[in-house]
Amino acid sequence: MEKKVPLTIDGKNVEASAGQTVLECARDNGIFIPTLCHYDKTTNVGACRVCVVEVENARSLVASCCMPVSPGMVVRTDTEAVRNAQKMVIELLWSSGDHNCLTCEQNGQCELQNLIYWLKIEKPRFEIEAPGYAIENNNTMIQRDLNKCILCGRCVRACNEIQVNEVLDFSMRGSYAKVGPAFDADYINSSCVFCGECLQVCPTGAITFKQAKFAGRPWEMEKVRTTCTYCGVGCQMDVFVKDGQIVKVSGNRDYGKPNDGSLCVKGRFGMDFIQHPDRLKKPLIRRNKNEDLKEVSWKEAYAFISDKLSSIKKTSGADSIAGLSSARCTNEENYLFQKFMRAVIGTNNVDHCARL
Ligand code: FES
């Protein structure tokens, strides 16, 4: 049986699993501790110090995201010292960037904004000094505004630990520190593959979905969980819909497998085909080569396909027909397709676009 670690948090006797952090134990027991740099799926680095708590007999406040539980520990999460430290951190972050919420795409779901409100900070006691970086806007998918970056490093760890693309890291030092690809390159001129994991984990408006800019506020959109149609993996995604149009896509973190919240470039940024005016929604037939394609019903299209296949098989034999299936189908659909080719048409000439 698993050995439990008894401790006290805010006067409540709780039990943690060995190796858990104070933060994890608090969350398991419904006790809120604010965080910024912490991200469940990556290592804890203790960079932001927003999650500080008091631990009895400790010399100073400790970062709960990095502090392992120990038997008999007495933790306090809401003392004056804790709140003062959290306010100081948040005010420093606020004043060192250009957090203009009025037009920021993250307005309403920005974790920094939420903590400012939660800590009841009217305005920072320090002068706001944004670094004045140019906004990176030279690709079609991701906008980066490093003036809103709080250097939490979530994007760096997501890029390196989740996607293992190893594109992002910190460069420079002190107030000049920044995050980005090697040699301070823009995403488009780096080895970035535009998976968008950095965008998904960014707690502020530093990395945003370019196609979603000015397309809708978070509270105006309906979140719909669905399965990505690009391949047979079946990644779970949330599409954000406003007025019947998909505004942006995010990996679904709650459902778990198969993608555990991550997406590839196609799943995250390639969904505009759904509402594209050129999208084919009805079958088209060209009955002879001099004729234009004409829209027909599905019944008519299937009858046409069946007649053609039957007559080719009759005149030239089953092996004169080949079938190419799609990676966008499910395994079951691909199974049925090869069965159809072998059992109905009578040929082994069947392949799949994923092999090409
Ligand atoms: Fe613990 Fe940032 S969340 S130090």
Side-chain angles (χ1 to χ4, degrees), residues 302-314:
Y302 283 129
F304 183 76
I305 293 166
S306 151
D307 287 351
K308 284 283 181 199
L309 289 177
S310 304
S311 83
I312 294 168
K313 185 174 168 182
K314 205 164 159 191

Side-chain angles (χ1 to χ4, degrees), residues 165-325:
N165 287 333
E166 299 181 337
V167 176
L168 298 180
D169 209 335
F170 290 97
S171 62
M172 312 298 273
R173 289 287 180 273
S175 57
Y176 297 104
K178 64 199 288 201
V179 161
F183 309 113
D184 209 12
D186 290 345
Y187 274 19
I188 197 74
N189 297 313
S190 73
S191 53
C192 174
V193 295
F194 287 91
C195 65
E197 194 78 29
C198 56
L199 184 162
Q200 179 150 333
V201 303
C202 180
T204 68
I207 311 177
T208 49
F209 212 107
K210 193 166 169 189
Q211 293 159 22
K213 194 167 182 183
F214 297 124
R217 291 300 200 180
W219 55 88
E220 296 173 322
M221 293 183 239
E222 188 191 352
K223 184 167 106 174
V224 184
R225 182 169 75 80
T226 187
T227 304
C228 180
T229 57
Y230 266 108
C231 77
V233 172
C235 291
Q236 295 303 295
M237 52 168 54
D238 293 319
V239 292
F240 292 83
V241 182
K242 185 186 171 211
D243 301 331
Q245 302 282 302
I246 294 176
V247 174
K248 62 180 179 179
V249 175
S250 179
N252 181 289
R253 290 172 177 162
D254 310 323
Y255 195 72
K257 303 297 175 202
N259 53 318
D260 225 1
S262 297
L263 290 174
C264 72
V265 59
K266 292 187 284 182
R268 194 181 304 277
F269 297 108
M271 288 299 153
D272 46 353
F273 76 90
I274 293 168
Q275 51 225 21
H276 198 282
D278 292 346
R279 182 180 171 192
L280 285 182
K281 294 183 182 157
K282 298 256 174 67
L284 305 171
I285 292 181
R286 193 196 317 271
R287 290 188 189 276
N288 65 62
K289 63 179 187 224
N290 298 322
E291 204 180 74
D292 284 341
L293 285 164
K294 287 215 176 73
E295 199 174 292
V296 294
S297 67
W298 283 106
K299 198 172 167 196
E300 210 178 325
Y302 283 129
F304 183 76
I305 293 166
S306 151
D307 287 351
K308 284 283 181 199
L309 289 177
S310 304
S311 83
I312 294 168
K313 185 174 168 182
K314 205 164 159 191
T315 53
S316 309
D319 280 339
S320 61
I321 300 171
L324 182 67
S325 186

Side-chain angles (χ1 to χ4, degrees), residues 23 34-38 44-52 63-66:
L23 175 68
T35 56
L36 276 177
C37 70
H38 171 79
N44 291 314
V45 291
C48 73
R49 318 309 280 184
V50 167
C51 67
V52 287
S64 61
C65 68
C66 295

Side-chain angles (χ1 to χ4, degrees), residues 31-44:
I31 297 165
F32 176 71
I33 298 176
T35 56
L36 276 177
C37 70
H38 171 79
Y39 187 70
D40 273 346
K41 290 166 63 183
T42 63
T43 50
N44 291 314

